[in-house]
Amino acid sequence: MLFDPRSFVPAVDAGQPGWTPARQHPVAQRRPAHGFLTLPAIPARLPATARLSFGDEIDLKDLVLAQFRAGVLDAEHVTSPSSAGDAFAQAFHGWLAPRMPATKVLSFDFTLIDHQAVETEIADFGFDMQETSALYLGIRLEEETVYTVTEARAAALRELHPSLVFMTFHLIRAAASKSLHLRTPDDLLDMFARWHWDFEPLTDDEDAREHLKERFGGDDPDINRYLPSVVRPVLAPDETLPKWQWAQKDRKLSLLSRRKLRELARAAANDWRGSLCGALADLDLALRQMGNATLLQNAQWAEPAYSAATLAYEHTDYVGQVLDDHFECANNGGYATFFQCFIPLAAKQAAIKRQYAALHDTLKLIAVMDRVLEHFN
């Protein structure tokens, strides 16, 4: 069109010769098409894969060398690494894989992530990381399932011992504080209070009613449904909470010793309660063996959208409502991540050995905690 002097009006262009290019491609007819319609052959010596890197990548060499020199990782797990970070990832996976528990209830995974990626994940929260590293171990939580104790099972546990429900939730909370983020009735109560009781989980009916009137209107019949005296017995009864959260302060519940849990396990050896008491005793032992050590020391909290699991007392609309509200806000506000936390990897030999020992013990703790939670699956 750019070289043809004719216009688009046939009457004006009548009799004028058309333009044709000087070079014409020959008709293909029956000649071979290779070199024109097909791709050229690629020599086998050319690499089939590539690694994309950025100029602002953090040099992991010093950290990786320190990790290997600590003597915990095995270089035999490394095959044709593309970088120091790749070598560490292979060796770390070789160490971690045989120690990962095959959980039936708890849902989680580990991810190696560099400092820049961690900062990107938490950039919206205004966190100031106190402990930094070139590389972090992230606990990743991508889904959440709700499990329930139910009143029937709680009654069976009370029949075996009045404090058994209280002891069960005490040990689960203690284990979760050293390992995976779980939602238990105290968390659900706190979430409910944020929405309906002006952030006061220990409020009474009178104060809660005043706040609910402002939210729903003074004559709304739903107010009675959201009063603490109605909600707490089914969402978070006292025996599922720490003592400081009890509504009835004079209740007589106590923590059970490991020996007592073993006795209860033998007394109920023929049903699920005996199995649960045995698992609780093992969980108490795992916690005692860890002492004050924790993998989560200096970890950066990452505002997780999900938990590894939710253990509710009963299946009620209150549980579904607080979780639905939480997930809706996380989705609309964009303030949550798929990570529980980021654990800075140590760079000094003694600290590296302590960290791997804590990780090893934490994995064993998670396995036992999963055995406990299985009884409410």
Side-chain angles (χ1 to χ4, degrees):
M1 183 181 74
L2 295 176
F3 300 98
D4 196 335
R6 294 178 298 172
S7 70
F8 293 106
V9 183
V12 175
D13 298 329
Q16 293 190 21
W19 176 84
T20 56
R23 182 180 177 182
Q24 297 288 327
H25 289 288
V27 179
Q29 295 181 350
R30 296 181 182 275
R31 67 184 176 85
H34 60 74
F36 173 65
L37 298 178
T38 57
L39 293 174
I42 300 177
R45 66 178 182 275
L46 292 179
T49 59
R51 179 177 181 271
L52 179 63
S53 62
F54 299 90
D56 56 354
E57 283 188 339
I58 297 176
D59 187 5
L60 304 176
K61 187 181 300 181
D62 292 341
L63 176 63
V64 171
L65 284 174
Q67 287 277 331
F68 277 104
R69 286 170 178 165
V72 180
L73 300 180
D74 192 344
E76 291 185 357
H77 291 130
V78 181
T79 304
S80 302
S82 61
S83 65
D86 182 39
F88 173 75
Q90 291 184 42
F92 182 79
H93 181 266
W95 182 92
L96 181 65
R99 294 171 173 81
M100 278 289 287
T103 56
K104 297 180 179 179
V105 174
L106 298 169
S107 178
F108 73 103
D109 200 1
F110 290 109
T111 300
L112 291 173
I113 185 167
D114 65 30
H115 181 83
Q116 184 176 352
V118 169
E119 287 191 327
T120 300
E121 286 285 342
I122 64 174
D124 294 335
F125 310 130
F127 292 148
D128 182 17
M129 289 188 289
Q130 301 298 316
E131 187 78 15
T132 60
S133 173
L135 200 60
Y136 294 78
L137 180 63
I139 300 179
R140 189 170 177 86
L141 308 173
E142 292 187 322
E143 60 183 8
E144 181 172 344
T145 303
V146 179
Y147 302 91
T148 53
V149 175
T150 74
E151 175 57 32
R153 277 184 286 198
L157 292 175
R158 289 187 212 105
E159 183 181 355
L160 185 60
H161 194 285
S163 295
L164 193 49
V165 175
F166 176 59
M167 186 64 183
T168 298
F169 279 97
H170 168 77
L171 287 175
I172 290 173
R173 281 193 301 270
S177 70
K178 286 180 172 286
S179 56
L180 297 177
H181 170 50
L182 299 184
R183 295 191 217 279
T184 46
D186 53 310
D187 297 294
L188 299 174
L189 179 65
D190 183 66
M191 295 166 73
F192 192 91
R194 294 181 193 180
W195 286 98
H196 299 93
W197 303 336
D198 196 25
F199 292 81
E200 292 291 344
L202 297 178
T203 191
D204 57 22
D205 280 5
E206 183 178 352
D207 289 339
R209 187 183 294 276
E210 292 302 315
H211 182 72
L212 290 167
K213 283 181 180 180
E214 295 178 5
R215 177 175 177 180
F216 293 108
D219 299 327
D220 196 310
D222 280 345
I223 288 179
N224 291 333
R225 181 174 176 270
Y226 292 109
L227 294 176
S229 61
V230 178
V231 175
R232 288 180 62 106
V234 292
L235 181 65
D238 282 354
E239 61 187 335
T240 68
L241 303 174
K243 286 187 176 182
W244 67 270
Q245 281 189 316
W246 286 3
Q248 188 178 339
K249 301 296 184 182
D250 58 349
R251 296 200 65 172
K252 303 297 182 182
L253 296 176
S254 59
L255 298 178
L256 305 179
S257 68
R258 196 179 319 132
R259 177 179 294 181
K260 183 63 178 179
L261 289 171
R262 299 288 188 201
E263 291 177 3
L264 295 175
R266 291 191 292 270
N270 296 325
D271 63 41
W272 65 273
R273 297 176 300 173
S275 174
L276 173 62
C277 289
L280 289 172
D282 291 342
L283 186 59
D284 181 65
L285 178 60
L287 286 166
R288 180 65 59 87
Q289 289 174 339
M290 287 189 71
N292 294 326
T294 173
L295 177 66
L296 306 181
Q297 184 176 6
N298 299 321
Q300 172 61 58
W301 182 249
E303 296 293 347
Y306 299 106
S307 69
T310 287
L311 180 61
Y313 182 73
E314 281 279 19
H315 178 71
T316 67
D317 291 341
Y318 299 123
V319 175
Q321 182 177 344
V322 294
L323 290 178
D324 286 346
D325 289 341
H326 165 73
F327 292 132
E328 183 179 359
C329 286
N331 182 61
N332 293 339
Y335 66 81
T337 76
F338 285 117
F339 291 93
Q340 171 182 326
C341 64
F342 300 107
I343 304 162
L345 293 184
K348 295 183 178 180
Q349 183 170 327
I352 291 171
K353 290 183 177 180
R354 285 196 303 270
Q355 194 168 56
Y356 279 96
L359 177 55
H360 178 73
D361 291 342
T362 300
L363 294 172
K364 293 195 296 183
L365 182 69
I366 289 171
V368 182
M369 183 164 58
D370 191 75
R371 281 176 46 208
V372 171
L373 294 171
E374 249 189 280
H375 294 83
F376 309 111
N377 192 346

